[in-house]
Amino acid sequence: MKDLTEDLWVFGYGSLMWRPGFPFVERAHAHLYGYHRSLCVFSHVHRGTPEHPGLVMGLDRGGRCHGVAFRVTPEEAEATVQYLREREQVTSVYLERHLPVRLADARRVRALAYVVDRNHGQYAGRLSYDEVIRFVRQGQGISGRNPDYVRSTYEHLIGMHVVDPLLHRIVTDLDQET
């Protein structure tokens, strides 16, 4: 466990970018190297159920991920970690890691991040586009509809001037249905 007497950085790449749920004193565009954002996790709780899983983001091996880093004060660090564990570790599909990230102003910090466990039963791996859109369309869980999650992530990335071709295609297809 990281020393909680110093600032804690948290890296968000999905819903944490637009709904962190914890107090922070700084928010910065950040890059994580060695991992990429991927719709690679079957959601059984937040955006789906075991019977009708949705599909949510995971940090998977390889590439680079644009995201957001949040700086949390030492006084809030322990409560933030507890909150994140309750939120992100409901089914233990993610591995908690402290990884080096680069902030937009070129600072380098170590940030708490949740990386997908490729050995977990909810790891979807690489799915065809038809499978991805099917799971996104059907997913609904305690945190809402899966299409809303994908759309919010996409819109937040666009606001950061980050292009994600897969999310663009999914949102375009979802928009044509309404």
Side-chain angles (χ1 to χ4, degrees):
M1 175 88 150
K2 183 172 170 45
D3 178 6
L4 298 181
T5 61
E6 43 185 79
D7 289 341
L8 169 72
W9 285 90
V10 176
F11 182 75
Y13 56 91
S15 63
L16 283 177
M17 292 190 303
W18 42 272
R19 190 177 55 86
F22 54 85
F24 56 90
V25 293
E26 184 178 355
R27 179 182 196 275
H29 188 143
H31 294 96
L32 172 64
Y33 294 89
Y35 295 90
H36 66 281
R37 176 186 304 100
S38 177
L39 277 167
C40 65
V41 176
F42 291 121
S43 179
H44 292 173
V45 176
H46 287 286
R47 300 294 173 166
T49 65
E51 299 79 22
H52 299 286
L55 204 56
V56 294
M57 305 293 171
L59 282 176
D60 207 352
R61 291 191 301 236
R64 176 177 77 162
C65 183
H66 294 267
V68 174
F70 299 93
R71 184 168 60 89
V72 178
T73 65
E75 297 77 22
E76 297 290 340
E78 187 174 348
T80 298
V81 170
Q82 182 62 38
Y83 164 77
L84 289 170
R85 286 178 177 162
E86 290 170 8
R87 174 176 167 168
E88 302 297 322
Q89 297 290 65
V90 175
T91 62
S92 301
V93 69
Y94 298 109
L95 304 171
E96 188 175 274
R97 298 287 186 258
H98 288 273
L99 301 171
V101 298
R102 185 174 196 169
L103 306 181
D105 64 7
R107 284 181 291 164
R108 295 177 189 268
V109 299
R110 291 191 74 73
L112 176 63
Y114 289 89
V115 175
V116 67
D117 179 353
R118 287 177 150 221
N119 295 314
H120 195 282
Q122 286 175 249
Y123 177 65
R126 294 183 71 98
L127 300 173
S128 71
Y129 180 76
D130 289 342
E131 292 172 305
V132 168
I133 194 75
R134 179 173 62 85
F135 284 112
V136 168
R137 284 179 178 136
Q138 81 177 9
Q140 183 164 341
I142 64 170
S143 294
R145 295 178 61 246
N146 204 165
D148 297 338
Y149 163 85
V150 171
R151 187 175 277 109
S152 293
T153 302
Y154 171 75
E155 289 171 355
H156 192 85
L157 289 170
I158 291 299
M160 294 169 49
H161 307 288
V162 174
V163 176
D164 185 309
L166 175 62
L167 295 183
H168 174 78
R169 183 175 175 194
I170 292 169
V171 169
T172 299
D173 285 353
L174 293 171
D175 287 348
Q176 289 176 356
E177 294 170 7
T178 57

